[in-house]
Structures are given as C-alpha cells and as structure tokens.
Amino acid sequence: MRSADTLFARLFGLSLLAIVLAHLLAFAWFSLYAKPHFPPPPPAFRGEWTQRPPPPPPPLGGPLLPLLLQSITLVIAAWYGARLLSRPIRRLSEAAERLSENLDSPALAEDGPMESRQAARAFNLMQTRIREQMQQRGRMLAAVSHDLRTPLARLKLRVEQVADDPLRERMARDLDEMVGMLDATLSYLHEQRASEAPQWFDLQALVESMAEDAQERGLDVQVEGRCAPLRAQPMALRSCLNNLLDNALRYGGDGVRIQLAERDAGIDVRVIDHGPGIPAAQREAVFEAFFRLEGSRNRNSGGVGLGLTITREAARRLGGDIRLEDTPCGGLTAVLCLPRS
C-alpha cells in the first residue's frame, strides 16, 4: 500500500486510465454508429444488375471521430501528468528562492506523494540546520568581538607607557591596524548574515544626502541625473553606496561624481573618480576577501581588503551587481546595476 502513494504510481495509474478510457470511447463509437453495410443483391431477372444508389458515408465523420477523441483524452492526461510531476519541483524551487532571501521564511508543507514529502522534509531540515549555524556564528562573533577588544584596549594603555617615541608610534599604528581589521571582518560577517525585507526606497534622496555630508566635510562630491524610487533593502543599499563612495574618496581624492541613469529594467549608479585606477586584469580579483593591490598592510593606503567584497555581496542581495570600468579622463568608475523588481 505504501508504494501506491508514490508519484510513479500516480502517473502510471493516470496513464493507464487515459489509455483505457480512450479505447472505451472508440469501442462505444463503433458499437453505436459504425453499422455494417451489406453487399448489393444478386442480379435481377433478364441478367441485369439493379441500379442502387451508393451507400451513405459513415456517420459523424467516420473513423476520424474516435481518433480525435482518443487524441484529446491522451493530451489531457499528458498535460495533467506533466503538471502533477512538475508541481513538487516548482514548490521546492520557490521555497529555495525564499530561503536565499530570508532564512526565516516559512517551512515547506510536507504533503503530497511520498517523494514530495521526503523532499520537503529534507529541505525543512536543511533550513533548520542553516538557521542554527547562522545563529551560532552570530553568538561566536559577539564573543570574539568582546574578547578581542578587551586585550587590545589593555595593550593600547601599555603602549602609552613605552618611553621610546618611534617604537611607541609604530606599536600604536599596529594596534590601530589590528582594531581596523577586526572591525572590518566583523562588519563583513555581519553583512553576510544580515537580512531585511525589501521596501520602496528613494535612491536619489540617499545619494544626494551622502553628497551633502561629504561636502560638509570639505570634499567635492557632485550628483548628476535623476531616478524614481525603487524597491530594495535599505540597509544593504546604503552599505553598498557608502563603500563605493569611501573607496572613491580614498583613492581618487576630491572631484568624485555620482551619476544616476534610468534604464529599461532598472537603475545604474556610477561612482566616478580620477585616481590611479585598477588594472583590467585585477578588476575581478579586488572583489575577493582580503585581496589588496599593494603588498603593504597600511590602512591609510588600502584598508584591509574587504570593502569591495562587502559591496558586491550587498549588491547581489539586491538582485544587481557591480562592475569596474576606466574613467575616460583617467581614474576608475564603479557601476552599480540595480533591478527594478
């Protein structure tokens, strides 16, 4: 009885029923309408054949009607069987898409045939384990953040007591770099586990606000173009644009321009600077975690190599992506492509 509750058994039973029903329809048609025609009578007297009209055509279109009924029955059965077969796969793909956007999405209903129930049960178990691992990692990050900052703070106090001024300055820079790397790593891991619901957001107002904040600090940041609000995750979008603007100001200095451009399916945001740029062969490598173009670890020249990694992951959570291009007059242009939906 358990094997009768499988998807194979349902499809096999449906196909068998369709074949039997098609043959029954054909048999009924031949029994009710296709009556036999007898041969003409023998010749009449005087050796002449009796002139009779030709037999009438078979009623209701002859054998075409049963063939048509059989074809319609089999097509309906094939359509329903394909839909029955694809329904569990479609439900599983929709649940996987919801899970990629939100770990707290509702669990998949464990109903239907045996194969569908097994797949749903395995998917729900996977979702539960992923959620538990992310929660455990969050607790571990909080503990690491607290436990590492305490000894670093004690070290900074002890460094202040070093009598040798050059040595004290070098040690203070190293400690500041360690704190910066810790903050950047924790921010990167937090961005990976963060999730928020999409909502309508005024991108142009955000960009103009960022430009005004930079101008209040004495930096030359200009905004060009206009765009309508779009549906996005506000925190991810803000983090993405902040990192792009910080990189442009760090490497390109003043004269950063932010261009907004509408396109058919979304919006392009271009952050343009006139700094040294990035070689074409390394424009994908800079998105890798902890990758740096120069060999030094001086935070004043390049940070810790996580800014663009966080930026691309935030852009992809928004359904878009980032690419790097040459600025026509020298420098680098970061293009953030955002979809409308």
Side-chain angles (χ1 to χ4, degrees), residues 97-302:
E97 185 175 358
R98 291 194 304 268
L99 179 63
S100 66
E101 298 175 353
N102 183 13
L103 287 178
D104 297 324
S105 59
L108 190 60
E110 299 180 8
D111 53 9
M114 183 178 65
E115 296 92 343
S116 179
R117 295 197 304 269
Q118 289 177 348
R121 193 175 302 114
F123 182 86
N124 292 336
L125 180 60
M126 178 193 68
Q127 181 178 359
T128 302
R129 289 178 176 174
I130 292 176
R131 188 185 300 115
E132 291 176 351
Q133 290 177 357
M134 296 299 288
Q135 292 174 353
Q136 182 179 4
R137 191 180 70 169
R139 292 191 295 268
M140 182 184 68
L141 288 176
V144 167
S145 176
H146 178 270
D147 293 343
L148 283 182
R149 290 178 188 279
T150 301
L152 286 175
R154 291 199 300 263
L155 280 174
K156 294 184 82 171
L157 292 175
R158 293 172 182 172
V159 164
E160 296 298 329
Q161 301 175 3
V162 176
D164 191 344
D165 291 341
L167 177 60
R168 183 175 64 250
E169 292 177 359
R170 288 196 298 269
M171 295 177 65
R173 285 197 301 268
D174 291 340
L175 284 174
D176 290 339
E177 183 179 350
M178 291 175 64
V179 172
M181 292 179 66
L182 175 62
D183 292 339
T185 303
L186 293 176
S187 175
Y188 169 64
L189 296 175
H190 174 74
E191 290 284 341
Q192 281 188 320
R193 74 175 190 273
S195 61
E196 54 180 333
Q199 56 184 287
W200 286 103
F201 192 77
D202 192 345
L203 175 61
Q204 182 172 345
L206 173 62
V207 172
E208 291 175 350
S209 174
M210 293 170 55
E212 290 176 0
D213 292 341
Q215 291 169 4
E216 291 178 357
R217 291 180 284 147
L219 302 173
D220 183 13
V221 178
Q222 303 297 327
V223 179
E224 301 173 358
R226 303 182 65 85
C227 68
L230 77 164
R231 191 171 178 82
Q233 297 174 334
M235 296 301 296
L237 184 55
R238 187 183 301 272
S239 172
C240 188
L241 291 174
N242 275 330
N243 284 332
L244 289 179
L245 183 57
D246 288 343
N247 278 347
L249 291 173
R250 176 183 297 176
Y251 295 105
D254 290 346
V256 175
R257 288 183 296 134
I258 304 177
Q259 292 181 347
L260 302 174
E262 292 273 6
R263 51 187 172 85
D264 294 338
I267 300 173
D268 287 343
V269 183
R270 296 176 178 268
V271 181
I272 305 171
D273 67 58
H274 299 284
I278 297 177
Q282 294 181 316
R283 287 178 190 162
E284 283 299 317
V286 296
F287 290 105
E288 299 176 3
F290 299 105
F291 180 86
R292 289 166 53 94
L293 291 175
E294 69 274 20
S296 67
R297 283 289 181 176
N298 186 352
R299 294 181 64 246
N300 294 327
S301 63

Side-chain angles (χ1 to χ4, degrees), residues 7 79-92:
L7 186 60
W79 174 82
Y80 186 77
R83 185 175 180 182
L84 185 66
L85 180 63
S86 63
R87 185 182 303 165
I89 302 175
R90 185 175 64 252
R91 289 176 52 200
L92 189 62

